[in-house]
């Protein structure tokens, strides 16, 4: 009876997710995907993906960019990957991308099932119920919905990270291939490289060798497919600008106001046009910032760049990690995914450009909750259980910026809720590692 009940809830959750994918494809401009699409389209026209071409060919405009540079923030090889999608009408490309993201999510869930349950010796129906509960939590995980709405690329990153951990955590591990996949993940999210200091401390030199091999292959592919000119332009000009400003910039970098007024229709709701079709700039509204660096942006504006703040915050977290690792001997759990999930949270907190969509990296916590909660209750670790559940609820519960932004106290809380949830989740994972005496008792 329980299994049937869970299957019904999962079916409803899947239907809801697919329905949202269709709605976003039809209605939303999908702010992040349109930047990828415009970059691919620019390359198809023999132009730089880092320039906003609205002044010369408004059909290459992404519908959002208000600076002379584009909103594309990735190495040129990523733009090459989007060239095939950019050759079809935008509405079709959106459908393809959204259902590709959905497929990536399902594959990531399958990889996590392998990582967490491969050594589970419980009865078959209990194991199946664990998978169902984890799936229900995963497909009602708000960062995933936000990612679909924006059309982000983070599920591709998560896929390669999980592939890396699949090789790293298995009994007959292959640390070299693990590192190769971590290297590929860096192509899509640069701050994936922050995993390397932790592998260095663990003396996992084969992982680092594989990582460097993966990066070398990506550099060679970039030169082959993007050419030396664009590759050099990215390293010398675009990468420093992106590191300092992200997709924004100085007032001198902005387009004249009249240009955007000419192309943006004056309507009560925010609408833009791509391929002659109107789209809402957002179908759902939410507080999007999820980086601890935001605190420094607000309290110490313009004192240092976000990259400097990021380096400082990561250094503090890393030193704390080394201290607690030595004092509490949690290094013995390095072959358990829960250990590395804590590290991934540290990375998301430290990155200057962590958005809610990027927090799909924390989706594996649905497996942690299912696997660890019964044991915590049995051992009367109620405080740890409360911290874990509170952190997950803060992260997974739907947001609505239009409702919360005008309510003083609640509005301020919702602006920082994702950062608070990351701290709570990192703390709960550390406490779980700390109270476990036998490394074999902990889930992967």
């Amino acid at each position: 009876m329980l299994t049937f009940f869970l299957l019904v809830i999962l079916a409803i959750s899947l239907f809801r997710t697919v329905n949202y994918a269709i709605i976003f494809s039809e209605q939303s401009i999908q702010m992040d995907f349109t930047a990828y699409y415009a970059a691919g389209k620019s390359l198809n026209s023999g132009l730089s993906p880092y320039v906003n071409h609205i002044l010369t060919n408004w059909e290459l405009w992404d519908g959002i960019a208000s600076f002379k540079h584009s909103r594309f923030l990735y190495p040129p090889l990523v733009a090459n990957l989007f060239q095939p999608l950019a050759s079809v009408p935008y509405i079709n490309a959106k459908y393809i991308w959204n259902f590709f993201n959905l497929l990536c999510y399902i594959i990531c869930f399958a990889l996590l099932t392998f990582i967490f349950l491969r050594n589970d010796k419980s009865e078959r129906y209990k194991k199946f119920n664990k998978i169902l509960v984890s799936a229900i939590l995963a497909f009602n995980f708000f960062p995933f919905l936000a990612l679909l709405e924006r059309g982000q690329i983070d599920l591709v990153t998560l896929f390669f990270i999980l592939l890396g951990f699949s090789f790293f955590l298995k009994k007959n591990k292959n640390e070299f291939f693990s590192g190769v996949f971590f290297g590929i993940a860096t192509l899509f999210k640069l701050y994936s490289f922050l995993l390397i200091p932790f592998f260095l401390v663990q003396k996992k030199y084969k992982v680092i060798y594989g990582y460097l091999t993966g990066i070398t292959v990506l550099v060679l592919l970039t030169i082959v497919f993007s050419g030396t000119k664009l590759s050099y332009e990215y390293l010398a000009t675009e990468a420093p600008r992106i590191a300092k400003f992200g997709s924004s910039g100085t007032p001198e970098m902005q387009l004249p106001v009249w240009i955007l007024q000419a192309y943006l229709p004056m309507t009560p709701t925010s609408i833009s046009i791509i391929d002659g079709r109107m789209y809402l700039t957002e179908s759902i509204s939410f507080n999007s910032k999820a980086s601890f660096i935001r605190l420094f942006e607000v309290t110490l504006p313009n004192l240092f760049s976000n990259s400097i703040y990021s380096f400082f915050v990561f250094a503090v977290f890393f030193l704390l990690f080394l201290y607690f690792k030595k004092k509490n001997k949690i290094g013995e759990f390095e072959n358990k995914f829960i250990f590395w999930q804590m590290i991934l949270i540290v990375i998301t907190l430290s990155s200057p450009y962590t958005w809610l969509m990027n927090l799909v990296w924390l989706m594996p916590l649905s497996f942690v909750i299912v696997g660890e909660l019964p044991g915590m209750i049995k051992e009367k670790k109620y405080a740890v259980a409360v911290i874990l559940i509170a952190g997950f609820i803060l992260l997974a519960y739907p947001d609505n910026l239009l409702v919360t932004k005008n309510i003083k106290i609640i509005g301020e809380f919702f602006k920082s809720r994702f950062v608070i949830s990351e701290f709570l989740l990192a703390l709960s994972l550390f406490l779980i590692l700390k109270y476990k005496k036998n490394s074999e008792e902990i889930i992967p």
Side-chain angles (χ1 to χ4, degrees):
M1 185 64 183
L2 175 61
T3 301
F4 175 76
F5 179 68
L6 293 174
L7 282 169
V8 170
I9 296 177
L10 179 57
I12 294 171
S13 301
L14 289 171
F15 174 80
R16 171 178 172 270
T17 302
V18 172
N19 186 55
Y20 268 120
I22 295 171
I23 290 173
F24 297 153
S25 298
E26 290 289 331
Q27 295 182 1
S28 176
I29 197 172
Q30 299 191 275
M31 293 184 190
D32 293 318
F33 177 63
T34 185
Y36 311 147
Y37 181 85
K41 204 169 183 179
S42 296
L43 282 182
N44 288 342
S45 300
L47 300 170
S48 170
Y50 301 105
V51 175
N52 186 352
H53 298 287
I54 190 172
L55 293 173
T56 54
N57 185 351
W58 79 274
E59 290 185 355
L60 297 178
W61 181 46
D62 70 358
I64 300 290
S66 58
F67 290 85
K68 296 173 184 176
H69 53 261
S70 73
R71 294 186 307 116
F72 184 71
L73 308 177
Y74 300 86
L77 185 59
V78 178
N80 291 123
L81 294 176
F82 281 94
Q83 282 185 267
L85 265 184
S87 64
V88 302
Y90 189 58
I91 183 68
N92 297 342
K94 272 156 50 70
Y95 267 102
I96 294 170
W97 180 246
N98 287 336
F99 281 92
F100 170 77
N101 263 333
L102 184 56
L103 177 62
C104 272
Y105 200 61
I106 293 171
I107 293 173
C108 288
F109 185 85
L111 286 171
L112 286 166
T113 302
F114 167 77
I115 291 171
F116 278 88
L117 299 177
R118 67 184 183 277
N119 296 322
D120 193 316
K121 294 181 174 62
S122 59
E123 297 177 29
R124 185 176 298 179
Y125 81 93
K126 288 184 178 179
K127 186 187 290 189
F128 185 59
N129 284 346
K130 288 180 182 179
I131 295 173
L132 291 178
V133 174
S134 299
I136 290 168
L137 292 176
F139 281 94
N140 289 281
F141 190 57
F142 188 65
F144 171 55
L145 185 63
L147 178 143
L148 276 182
E149 199 278 339
R150 292 294 191 263
Q152 249 289 352
I153 201 171
D154 269 277
L155 279 174
V156 178
T157 316
L158 180 62
F159 168 70
F160 284 109
I161 286 175
L162 292 180
L163 268 181
F165 281 121
S166 296
F167 279 90
F168 180 75
L169 299 175
K170 69 179 183 178
K171 189 174 182 180
N172 299 317
K173 61 175 66 178
N174 190 318
E175 294 183 354
F176 173 79
F177 280 109
S178 173
V180 170
F181 288 123
F182 292 135
I184 295 173
T186 307
L187 173 68
F188 302 100
K189 288 298 172 184
L190 181 60
Y191 52 79
S192 301
F193 85 92
L194 292 177
L195 282 167
I196 297 306
F198 296 99
F199 285 118
L200 189 61
V201 168
Q202 303 291 346
K203 298 181 180 179
K204 300 297 181 182
Y205 301 122
K206 288 183 180 179
V207 175
I208 297 171
Y209 176 54
Y211 178 86
L212 293 175
T213 302
I215 293 295
T216 301
V217 171
L218 289 175
V219 170
L220 292 174
L221 289 174
T222 300
I223 294 172
V224 170
F225 289 100
S226 302
T228 55
K229 182 180 178 182
L230 185 59
S231 300
Y232 177 78
E233 176 190 334
Y234 172 74
L235 287 174
T237 305
E238 305 303 338
R241 172 185 60 79
I242 291 167
K244 188 173 183 179
F245 298 110
S247 59
S248 63
T250 64
E252 292 76 22
M253 297 177 180
Q254 287 184 311
L255 291 170
V257 175
W258 67 265
I259 294 175
L260 297 181
Q261 288 177 337
Y263 290 121
L264 289 171
M266 300 300 163
T267 62
T269 55
S270 184
I271 290 175
S272 193
I273 300 174
I274 296 183
D275 277 355
R277 178 171 177 151
M278 288 189 178
Y279 295 99
L280 294 170
T281 52
E282 56 181 20
S283 294
I284 56 174
S285 182
F286 47 83
N287 293 278
S288 58
K289 295 200 172 183
S291 170
F292 187 53
I293 308 304
R294 175 63 177 165
L295 173 66
F296 297 91
E297 288 181 333
V298 174
T299 58
L300 301 170
N302 303 319
L303 186 61
F304 296 105
S305 70
N306 283 352
S307 298
I308 299 296
Y309 290 136
S310 178
F311 175 80
F312 172 75
V313 170
F314 179 76
V316 171
F317 279 132
F318 187 67
L319 292 174
L320 285 173
F321 167 80
L322 294 179
Y323 172 76
F324 286 117
K325 175 182 177 293
K326 183 177 180 180
K327 185 176 180 180
N328 298 281
K329 297 181 180 179
I330 61 173
E332 64 186 292
F333 301 120
E334 67 184 30
N335 289 330
K336 307 297 181 181
F337 187 84
I338 194 171
F339 175 87
W340 292 101
Q341 179 68 85
M342 184 174 65
I343 303 305
L344 291 177
I345 295 175
V346 168
I347 292 173
T348 59
L349 282 169
S350 304
S351 168
Y353 301 115
T354 299
W355 306 94
L356 169 61
M357 301 78 71
N358 310 142
L359 296 187
V360 289
W361 283 24
L362 278 60
M363 182 268 282
L365 286 162
S366 60
F367 283 88
V368 175
I369 289 174
V370 171
E372 280 295 322
L373 198 56
M376 282 189 279
I377 294 173
K378 184 179 179 180
E379 297 180 30
K380 298 182 180 180
K381 301 293 181 181
Y382 301 125
V384 182
V386 168
I387 295 172
L388 176 62
I389 293 171
F392 188 80
I393 290 174
L394 276 177
L395 179 59
Y397 189 79
D399 194 358
N400 191 326
L401 178 61
L402 298 179
V403 173
T404 60
K405 68 178 181 179
N406 295 321
I407 307 174
K408 288 185 179 179
I409 297 177
I410 295 178
E412 292 302 314
F413 170 76
F414 270 82
K415 285 180 182 178
S416 57
R417 63 175 276 206
F418 300 118
V419 174
I420 294 171
S421 73
E422 289 171 87
F423 273 106
L424 290 175
L425 290 168
L427 175 62
S428 66
L429 296 183
F430 169 75
L431 292 174
I432 291 171
L433 290 171
K434 187 177 178 180
Y435 84 72
K436 290 288 185 178
K437 302 299 181 183
N438 185 345
S439 62
E440 294 302 322
E441 294 176 2
I442 196 169
I443 62 172

